[in-house]
Amino acid sequence: MVNADIEIETLAEFDRVVARGSLSGYRIQSVNLLQRTFALLSADTSAAVFLGCAMEPDAAVKVRADGALVFPPVPDLPFDPYRGLLYSAEELFAGLAEGYESTPDALAYAWFQETKADGDVFSSMLRSLHDDAVSDALDEALAGARVVGVMGGHAMARGTDGYRGAAELGRGLARGGLTVATGGGPGAMEAANLGAYLAPAPDGALGEALEVLAKAPSFTPSVSDWARAAFAVRERWPAGGDSVGIPTWFYGHEPPNAFAGRIAKYFSNATREDGLLARSTAGVVFLPGAAGTVQEVFDNATPNYYSSAAGPTPMVLVDRRHWTEELPVWPLLRALARGRAMESRIALVDSVDEVPDALAALA
């Protein structure tokens, strides 16, 4: 069996497997088994691994006696370090009606702020366990998908031409059969996820949604108002298209956006950055941004330069003036690429309208 075949991440999966009489060798991730005591007492659980599964004491004694490994749930944590699935916006923003500060996303960030510099190996272990579990879930979610990363700054405000352009880009890529993946935050990232979310809707839906969102143009000064505007759009168009957001609690001032269908949120920004770029197998689009986006350009350029992956992935930089005058990244990128395999995989375009054709040409 391949690894994904031995992972049990929901109660329904548990019931299907245990009906066959054996859990031997399976990895059960964060499934509440308090109501499955008889099944645990009856099934073969030798060589199984239980990660954060609540169970009755007699069941825990029995599975340990079988030779299973049991990693119990960790009490009083605002996140699950063993989670088997990616986050949803509903999960991260639960309790938003009472204010963003009471949501699981805000509480996890507060815990991170309290523990990131305390030198406690237990806290750092919990963060590592969580991030590894999220990476595993992300690999499973994107298996076989043609993923295009869309990178851009968090400062791009709703209601601007740049935000509209990024949303139109996300919509066009999604309608072209690609999975849009972003850094999962506000600004250009949110816009691209919004476009993918509204890809199944009529063309006019995007303009209407942009009007709603423009009433709360930024996540400052109120994350609550900013997020509520997003959920108002989701309520108006509930059957949204899928995309992926990969944010981080490292930048805690940046909340995740609510338009990504699946959210892989990390404590480690380095793990998040590498994972986002490595999974963008169909190319990466770089919208205007500042230091973070510049870092992402060269994080992506390095494996392309050394051809350390299967082959250089397409890189498309959008907005000629931004990347040649304001932040002259393009001349350096072009100089790095000269004479190497990546030279034919980079492009600079003036507008988002040119991106689909550029990606197709580079592929």
Side-chain angles (χ1 to χ4, degrees):
M1 290 184 291
V2 299
N3 286 343
D5 290 336
I6 64 171
E7 294 178 3
I8 296 175
E9 295 151 341
T10 67
L11 195 58
E13 285 181 285
F14 176 88
D15 289 341
R16 285 196 297 270
V17 173
V18 83
R20 299 197 291 265
S22 178
L23 291 165
S24 180
Y26 280 86
R27 282 80 172 101
I28 303 93
Q29 283 181 259
S30 194
V31 180
N32 187 328
L33 300 176
L34 289 173
Q35 303 301 316
R36 296 297 186 272
T37 299
F38 179 77
L40 291 169
L41 293 176
S42 305
D44 175 11
T45 57
S46 60
V49 179
F50 293 85
L51 299 166
C53 299
M55 61 181 77
E56 295 291 351
D58 52 343
V61 169
K62 183 266 180 185
V63 299
R64 286 192 177 99
D66 277 354
L69 290 176
V70 178
F71 295 79
V74 181
D76 303 322
L77 275 183
F79 63 94
D80 179 1
Y82 305 112
R83 63 178 305 113
L85 303 172
L86 296 179
Y87 290 100
S88 67
E90 293 88 342
E91 180 181 0
L92 288 174
F93 284 104
L96 181 63
E98 285 73 46
Y100 172 71
E101 296 74 16
S102 65
T103 65
D105 185 67
L107 295 174
Y109 174 61
W111 177 89
F112 182 39
Q113 288 295 97
E114 292 172 2
T115 63
K116 67 181 181 180
D118 65 7
D120 185 353
V121 66
F122 185 55
S123 297
S124 62
M125 182 193 73
L126 291 173
R127 292 194 295 270
S128 296
L129 282 172
H130 170 274
D131 286 1
D132 188 70
V134 167
S135 289
D136 181 66
L138 185 58
D139 284 338
E140 293 175 11
L142 294 180
R146 297 170 60 223
V147 181
V148 171
V150 179
M151 311 299 162
H154 70 266
M156 183 183 287
R158 295 167 170 173
T160 62
D161 290 342
Y163 187 96
R164 174 184 286 273
E168 290 173 346
L169 172 63
R171 183 177 64 178
L173 294 172
R175 286 179 173 178
L178 297 166
T179 297
V180 173
T182 78
M189 298 173 279
E190 179 189 55
N193 287 128
L194 166 67
Y197 182 85
L198 291 176
D203 288 351
L206 181 56
E208 295 179 42
L210 292 173
E211 290 182 9
V212 173
L213 294 174
K215 297 173 184 177
S218 174
F219 61 95
T220 59
S222 172
V223 175
S224 298
D225 290 345
W226 175 83
R228 286 171 185 146
F231 279 100
V233 169
R234 286 172 49 109
E235 185 175 354
R236 171 69 177 81
W237 293 279
D242 190 32
S243 68
V244 176
I246 307 180
T248 175
W249 281 294
F250 182 82
Y251 296 126
H253 63 287
E254 290 185 16
N257 77 71
F259 295 113
R262 292 172 286 182
I263 300 174
K265 190 150 192 180
Y266 287 90
F267 288 106
S268 168
N269 187 53
T271 304
R272 169 250 194 168
E273 292 278 7
D274 289 345
L276 172 54
L277 293 168
R279 291 175 176 86
S280 297
T281 52
V284 185
V285 180
F286 298 92
L287 300 172
T293 311
V294 171
Q295 176 185 336
E296 289 163 347
V297 169
F298 290 105
D299 280 348
N300 192 215
T302 300
N304 285 348
Y305 177 86
Y306 289 110
S307 295
S308 55
T313 54
M315 299 176 65
V316 180
L317 279 62
V318 181
D319 192 331
R320 191 176 304 273
R321 191 175 74 83
H322 182 82
W323 294 119
T324 61
E325 298 177 22
E326 295 181 22
L327 293 174
V329 163
W330 175 251
L332 178 53
L333 181 63
R334 188 170 56 177
L336 278 173
R338 190 172 297 123
R340 307 188 77 88
M342 69 179 286
E343 187 172 17
S344 62
R345 297 296 185 93
I346 62 173
L348 175 65
V349 299
D350 289 311
S351 72
V352 294
D353 296 337
E354 302 171 72
V355 169
D357 288 342
L359 282 173
L362 297 178

